[in-house]
Amino acid sequence: MAGTHRLYVKGKHLAHQRGKRNTNPGVSLIQIEGVSSPKDAQFYFGKRVAYVYRAKKEIKGSKIRVIWGKITRSHGNSGVVRAKFRSNLPPKTFGASVRIMLYPSNI
Amino acid sequence: MSAVTKEIGGASNGGKRVIPASKASKWYQAEDIPALKKARKTARPAVLRASLKPGAVLIILAGRFRGKRVVLLKALEDGTLLVTGPFKVNGVPLRRVNAAYVIATSTVVNIDSVDVSTFTAAYFAREKKSKKEGEAEFFGDDEKKQKKAISEIRITDQKTVDTALLAEIKKVPALKAYLASSFSLKKGDKPHLMKF
């Protein structure tokens, strides 16, 4: 049996897209582990992202909930990436881990 | 307007009558409905990416068999890929898989000896449940949880495909163990740099 079963790349939810004084909560900035340039980040465009979290109330048999989104484009020169989620990620998730799936795959 | 001659009964009715073949409408729209524009778009069969060659080993990324390495048999007409474990090796049966949820590796198995001509999208179509007995089904929930019996055809087809395929797999050293193993990302792995 393989030690891990991970089929996603780990990432961090850094912040909302913003200028110095105004934020756009509709777009989230994600830092993908191991990605440090826009050229590397290109592989991940269009890939689905999941923010997974736990809650006390069980819904449909599970206490684990997901907010799905996708990586839309590059952001800056250091491999950070923009993502849009079905519902915006709340600011309390800044610094939280996010899962970048390997699908839709183009390999 | 074409006319039809019809025989009619009755002694003093003249024996035949000429009737129009199609009757005029009893009812007409108050205002004319404009004719819809003709669509000039045509659906053409989708072209899959070049790495998805028959015989290629694929990694399934999502669904029940995520992480499994599997052999691609052919592309079906509905755009999905026909895939098999083989079943004895990793538990993946003859199955359809969406090409977007799959990574194609560069490993290719020779499938010239495998006959896949009988498999079409219709073979895998879901069985239609009868609409009657709705209440009985609703209250008989426990029976639904029982395992659905796999049809005999599926089992025999699986065996024929797999025996041919396994013969080819055994020729390549370590390929059987490779297909039995699962793919996962380990620490330090960077998919954007990995060569599959």
Side-chain angles (χ1 to χ4, degrees):
Chain A
M1 276 281 237
T4 65
H5 294 90
R6 182 162 62 91
L7 284 167
Y8 56 86
V9 182
K10 295 192 238 187
K12 289 281 182 196
H13 178 210
L14 297 178
H16 290 323
Q17 177 187 34
R18 59 180 301 172
K20 191 171 189 176
R21 301 195 167 97
N22 301 309
T23 65
N24 175 14
V27 177
S28 285
L29 304 181
I30 308 280
Q31 175 153 81
I32 308 173
E33 249 184 42
V35 176
S36 54
S37 77
K39 190 164 169 288
D40 290 345
Q42 177 145 36
F43 171 86
Y44 298 94
F45 295 169
K47 299 285 185 281
R48 313 211 63 218
V49 197
Y51 169 62
V52 184
Y53 61 107
R54 291 168 186 268
K56 262 192 124 184
K57 186 166 103 170
E58 199 170 299
I59 292 190
K60 291 198 175 173
S62 176
K63 289 186 175 177
I64 301 174
R65 303 186 191 171
V66 195
I67 303 180
W68 283 101
K70 54 169 77 151
I71 294 181
T72 55
R73 52 179 286 189
S74 188
H75 182 84
N77 294 316
S78 301
V80 173
V81 126
R82 296 188 201 175
K84 281 185 85 96
F85 287 82
R86 282 205 201 146
S87 51
N88 299 344
L89 293 190
K92 80 169 183 187
T93 64
F94 293 159
S97 289
V98 122
R99 301 184 188 188
I100 295 110
M101 302 308 191
L102 296 174
Y103 53 83
S105 149
N106 196 25
I107 310 172
Chain B
M1 255 200 306
S2 50
V4 171
T5 315
K6 284 218 162 154
E7 300 277 325
I8 50 166
S12 40
N13 280 341
K16 286 197 189 141
R17 209 161 281 177
V18 180
I19 303 164
S22 51
K23 278 204 238 181
S25 284
K26 267 191 219 174
W27 182 78
Y28 286 94
Q29 278 278 353
E31 278 155 23
D32 285 328
I33 315 160
L36 282 168
K37 285 190 194 176
K38 292 211 176 92
R40 283 180 282 176
K41 295 186 172 48
T42 48
R44 276 161 229 145
V47 181
L48 294 171
R49 49 192 193 264
S51 55
L52 294 169
K53 298 181 271 247
V57 173
L58 309 176
I59 301 171
I60 300 183
L61 296 172
R64 182 173 168 194
F65 300 105
R66 55 187 166 276
K68 298 279 185 203
R69 293 187 172 101
V70 124
V71 180
L72 168 62
L73 296 174
K74 78 172 186 180
L76 299 172
E77 325 85 49
D78 61 354
T80 55
L81 309 174
L82 173 61
V83 126
T84 183
F87 185 73
K88 272 216 169 118
V89 176
N90 52 24
V92 181
L94 280 164
R95 199 174 203 265
R96 288 186 294 180
V97 133
N98 190 321
Y101 294 85
V102 132
I103 289 181
T105 64
S106 51
T107 311
V108 176
V109 183
N110 187 346
I111 58 165
D112 291 340
S113 59
V114 184
D115 176 27
V116 279
S117 49
T118 54
F119 303 116
T120 63
Y123 176 93
F124 294 98
R126 207 171 279 193
E127 309 247 322
K128 303 242 167 177
K129 269 198 291 192
S130 59
K131 288 252 176 130
K132 299 181 186 169
E133 318 281 348
E135 273 180 49
E137 269 182 8
F138 187 78
F139 289 115
D141 242 31
D142 336 302
E143 284 157 50
K144 265 200 218 166
K145 300 263 164 94
Q146 283 174 353
K147 277 180 88 161
K148 198 176 68 175
I150 306 167
S151 72
E152 287 298 315
I153 325 157
R154 292 279 184 117
I155 299 176
T156 46
D157 284 340
Q158 184 76 54
K159 281 209 184 113
T160 44
V161 169
D162 280 3
T163 40
L165 195 51
L166 272 164
E168 288 294 332
I169 289 171
K170 284 189 181 156
K171 293 182 190 167
V172 182
L175 184 56
K176 187 157 175 251
Y178 175 65
L179 290 172
S181 67
S182 289
F183 172 82
S184 68
L185 290 175
K186 319 272 191 323
K187 185 172 166 185
D189 279 355
K190 299 178 192 179
H192 61 277
L193 294 174
M194 283 164 77
K195 185 170 181 342
F196 286 96

